[in-house]
Amino acid sequence: MELATVVFYLIAAVTVGSAAMVAFSRNIIYSAFSLLGTFAGVAGIYVFLGADFVAGVQVLIYVGGILVLVLFAVMLTHRITDVQITNRAVGRLPALVVVGILLFLLVQSIRETPWRKAKEILYAPTTAQIGDLFLQSYLLPFELASLVLLAALIGAVLISRKELKE
Amino acid sequence: MQQLVDQLIQEGNFPGVPREIVYAGAMILAAFAVLSFFVAPLAGVTSWLERRVWARMQSRVGPNRVGPQGILQWLADGIKNLLKEDIIPAAADKWLFSLAPYVVFVGFLATFVVIPFGSQLIVADLNIGILYLLAVTSLVVVGILMAGWASNNKWSLLGGMRSAAQIVSYEIPAGLAVLTIIFAAGTMSMQGIIKAQGWAPWDWLLFYNPFTFGAFFLYFTAALAEGNRTPFDIPEAESELVAGYVTEYSGMRFLFFFFAEWGNLYVIGAIATTLFLGGWQVPPVTDHPVLLAILQFVVFFVKAYFWVFVAMWVRGTLPRVRVDQLMSLCWKYMVPLSFVCLLGTAGWMVLFPRGNRLASVGMFLVGVAILLQFAKRVRYQIRHARPELYWKPYI
């Protein structure tokens, strides 16, 4: 087995292991902190694929932003450690159906994709290319995404704002 | 660094060893060397110097017993902390409590991968250098939240929350100020940004246009806030929170947090030097490679350490701000101003695609004028205050 393969499986094990911890841990704080391993593992896989910019942004946004917000929400919730069982309201059967459909879709898309193995891996800089593509071929989706984000921002401000009573 | 390892492999120094293992060994060796020969003494000496400088500003003497002028104080402190009992509170979350200092320390130490010490002296000149730097420092927030939660102490939790809120908020003006420089330099690699500048002050990106000049002050203020330094040290405000998220820590684990804090001061200075102050650029005086490397290292170090001194100075001068003042400063003033800097630089690049030499020299003169005015004020204050100045530095 090649060394690169060993490293890949190591990263994958960290990612899947901490994701399992997120899902199965009884303590919601541990779940939240385990997300760190998942996000870092995904960033590691991006590095492995030679996507340096995406890896950097993955750590910056997910670890620096989203994980911290999740931790905030968890820690500010009253008596959070007393909550032992997560979300019993829906029940197991509907969950099983949803998971089954998701699994089918995933397996199907893995089987449909024509996988090719690159002969030689090039670790070339990608940042400039990503920028060019965003502002040329994919300008419309890029602008649409920023509009959605702006709408989300305005919505958040509107919800959290206190109306002054006269 | 990679070129050196490649050369060693080509010369056949490691027969029969896979290339990746050689790289991994070189990385571990580089990390060890940087940690023990640069970061540890640097953080230690900075801790001593800060106490000395701060004491001097308050008309005290400061630590001066261990070694000449007390310069070995940090070794004594380190040995003392190593020998102290490592207490984990009974009610604390044992795992997270033990893990938190390491997460903070990893987030801090990983920044040294891309910090340039000279034109050849850098661990790895990543193509996404400055983005990587911003990304790995976000690990520190997670570590601080972990410490705050795991201590099972209300002051720790409040300190951790405050710290996280502060770092997440100030990341925005800092990131936008950095983005301004990425615009002007056209690259994210640390060496690339330095190469976009020259040795003369008017070739620095600080004086590129009025907007980058403003971005520098925004960056430095935001970086002080991200480093939990006075006047932004509300996460460990002694008068309110005992010691914030480090309240329950003792011994070596406690030291790890402060190791990261003092080392982080140098990282702030090094980033400011790289982005705004021309990095290791030196005038063309010598062609000798070793001499040139030493000169570059010295120039970079002096520039970066000057800002460490300024941070100590600010800490000795300004009082702590309140939480609401801290947040309004960030969101109401610094974020809009940093957007102005970003858009202004973008507009400037459309107007002057090759940069404007006249404006750079003009901005340089403005900078000199500000410095002269500052010196004049200081001289005026000293003359009129008639303090009992104690000019002997050696006591």
Side-chain angles (χ1 to χ4, degrees):
Chain A
M1 197 150 58
E2 268 185 71
L3 206 68
T5 324
V6 176
V7 176
F8 170 76
Y9 278 115
L10 211 68
I11 294 174
V14 169
T15 315
V16 175
S18 45
M21 184 90 172
V22 173
F24 296 121
S25 174
R26 291 264 157 186
N27 186 338
I28 196 161
I29 288 284
Y30 284 165
S31 293
F33 277 119
S34 305
L35 275 176
L36 177 63
T38 317
F39 292 148
V42 172
I45 288 174
Y46 284 140
V47 171
F48 221 66
L49 292 171
D52 51 358
F53 182 76
V54 185
V57 171
Q58 158 84 15
V59 175
L60 187 66
I61 302 290
Y62 280 91
V63 177
I66 291 178
L67 177 59
V68 172
L69 284 184
V70 166
L71 284 171
F72 257 113
V74 166
M75 286 182 184
L76 286 178
T77 311
H78 184 56
R79 291 162 65 103
I80 193 83
T81 39
D82 297 349
V83 181
Q84 289 289 321
I85 298 148
T86 50
N87 206 357
R88 262 280 170 84
V90 184
R92 294 205 172 162
L93 202 67
L96 210 66
V97 172
V98 172
V99 169
I101 293 172
L102 201 66
L103 186 72
F104 175 74
L105 285 176
L106 277 177
V107 169
Q108 200 63 23
S109 60
I110 288 170
R111 285 181 54 177
E112 299 272 309
T113 314
W115 299 100
R116 278 173 303 169
K117 201 170 179 186
K119 290 219 172 62
E120 193 166 353
I121 311 155
L122 285 176
Y123 290 106
T126 55
T127 317
Q129 283 174 25
I130 291 175
D132 282 343
L133 285 176
F134 266 149
L135 292 178
Q136 285 167 6
S137 320
Y138 298 98
L139 185 60
L140 193 66
F142 179 64
E143 291 296 329
L144 266 178
S146 50
L147 256 183
V148 170
L149 285 177
L150 183 67
L153 265 178
I154 295 172
V157 170
L158 206 69
I159 289 171
S160 62
R161 194 175 77 146
K162 275 187 208 143
E163 290 291 339
L164 286 175
K165 278 173 194 156
E166 290 174 22
Chain B
M1 181 70 201
Q2 197 193 358
Q3 288 158 3
L4 187 75
V5 177
D6 279 339
Q7 198 186 340
L8 283 177
I9 293 172
Q10 291 236 317
E11 285 169 8
N13 282 324
F14 311 101
V17 184
R19 187 170 264 259
E20 288 89 347
I21 289 185
V22 177
Y23 279 139
M27 275 192 282
I28 291 169
L29 211 68
F32 178 76
V34 169
L35 176 62
S36 39
F37 297 121
F38 189 76
V39 179
L42 185 82
V45 171
T46 305
S47 82
W48 163 77
L49 193 73
E50 168 152 51
R51 289 164 71 186
R52 281 289 273 181
V53 167
W54 216 21
R56 189 45 65 131
M57 285 178 181
Q58 298 168 338
S59 301
R60 293 185 287 119
V61 175
N64 67 345
R65 290 291 131 186
V66 192
Q69 293 302 310
I71 196 169
L72 297 178
Q73 180 70 39
W74 58 283
L75 280 178
D77 287 344
I79 292 167
K80 175 191 155 196
N81 272 299
L82 269 176
L83 298 179
K84 275 177 86 167
E85 187 188 353
D86 176 30
I87 300 167
I88 297 179
D93 192 318
K94 210 171 154 193
W95 281 98
L96 291 182
F97 189 84
S98 322
L99 188 65
Y102 300 109
V103 175
V104 171
F105 197 72
V106 164
F108 148 72
L109 196 65
T111 57
F112 278 88
V113 172
V114 292
I115 284 183
F117 299 97
S119 58
Q120 304 297 324
L121 221 56
I122 182 169
V123 177
D125 182 21
L126 296 182
N127 173 49
I128 53 157
I130 188 74
L131 181 75
Y132 164 85
L133 220 154
L134 292 177
V136 289
T137 29
S138 56
L139 265 181
V140 173
V141 195
V142 179
I144 286 174
L145 272 174
M146 211 181 261
W149 171 266
S151 300
N152 203 357
N153 173 325
K154 61 185 167 194
W155 286 300
S156 297
L157 186 60
L158 278 173
M161 294 300 230
R162 279 183 178 190
S163 175
Q166 177 178 330
I167 294 177
V168 169
S169 308
Y170 277 89
E171 230 172 18
I172 294 165
L176 287 172
V178 168
L179 199 58
T180 311
I181 292 305
I182 296 175
F183 273 22
T187 174
M188 287 197 287
S189 127
M190 298 293 265
Q191 299 286 46
I193 292 171
I194 292 177
K195 279 171 193 152
Q197 310 175 56
W199 63 269
W202 46 86
D203 288 334
W204 294 351
L205 285 174
L206 173 64
F207 302 116
Y208 179 71
N209 65 20
F211 302 106
T212 50
F213 192 69
F216 172 73
F217 295 98
L218 287 171
Y219 171 74
F220 193 67
T221 314
L224 282 186
E226 280 193 78
N228 290 337
R229 298 280 306 176
T230 326
F232 306 109
D233 69 339
I234 55 160
E236 344 162 349
E238 295 90 346
S239 51
E240 304 163 25
L241 292 178
V242 188
Y245 55 86
V246 288
T247 306
E248 296 287 359
Y249 281 90
S250 58
M252 206 54 202
R253 292 188 204 282
F254 172 81
L255 206 62
F256 266 121
F257 284 107
F258 280 88
F259 198 142
E261 185 180 324
W262 279 309
N264 197 33
L265 275 183
Y266 179 77
V267 174
I268 292 170
I271 298 171
T273 306
T274 307
L275 297 182
F276 297 94
L277 300 171
W280 39 254
Q281 294 279 13
V282 287
V285 285
T286 171
D287 280 336
H288 195 274
V290 176
L291 223 61
L292 196 68
I294 292 172
L295 197 63
Q296 285 172 339
F297 180 81
V298 169
V299 165
F300 188 87
F301 187 80
V302 167
K303 280 180 190 169
Y305 214 77
F306 174 73
W307 294 103
V308 177
F309 177 73
V310 171
M312 293 171 186
W313 188 359
V314 168
R315 188 176 173 188
T317 311
L318 295 175
R320 187 177 291 140
V321 296
R322 275 199 328 257
V323 183
D324 57 325
Q325 290 168 338
L326 186 88
M327 285 298 156
S328 71
L329 174 71
C330 177
W331 292 103
K332 288 186 188 162
Y333 301 99
M334 286 177 65
V335 170
L337 274 177
S338 49
F339 272 115
V340 168
C341 287
L342 186 68
L343 294 178
T345 303
W348 190 275
M349 288 171 69
V350 174
L351 281 179
F352 310 106
R354 295 175 169 277
N356 191 333
R357 190 65 184 240
L358 204 65
S360 299
V361 176
M363 281 318 295
F364 172 61
L365 292 178
V366 168
V368 171
I370 292 174
L371 263 184
L372 282 180
Q373 177 67 17
F374 179 74
K376 208 175 129 197
R377 288 298 300 173
V378 170
R379 206 163 146 253
Y380 175 85
Q381 297 288 359
I382 288 177
R383 203 181 314 144
H384 283 73
R386 294 177 205 286
E388 302 263 326
L389 276 183
Y390 200 66
W391 285 113
K392 271 197 292 181
Y394 304 114
I395 186 168

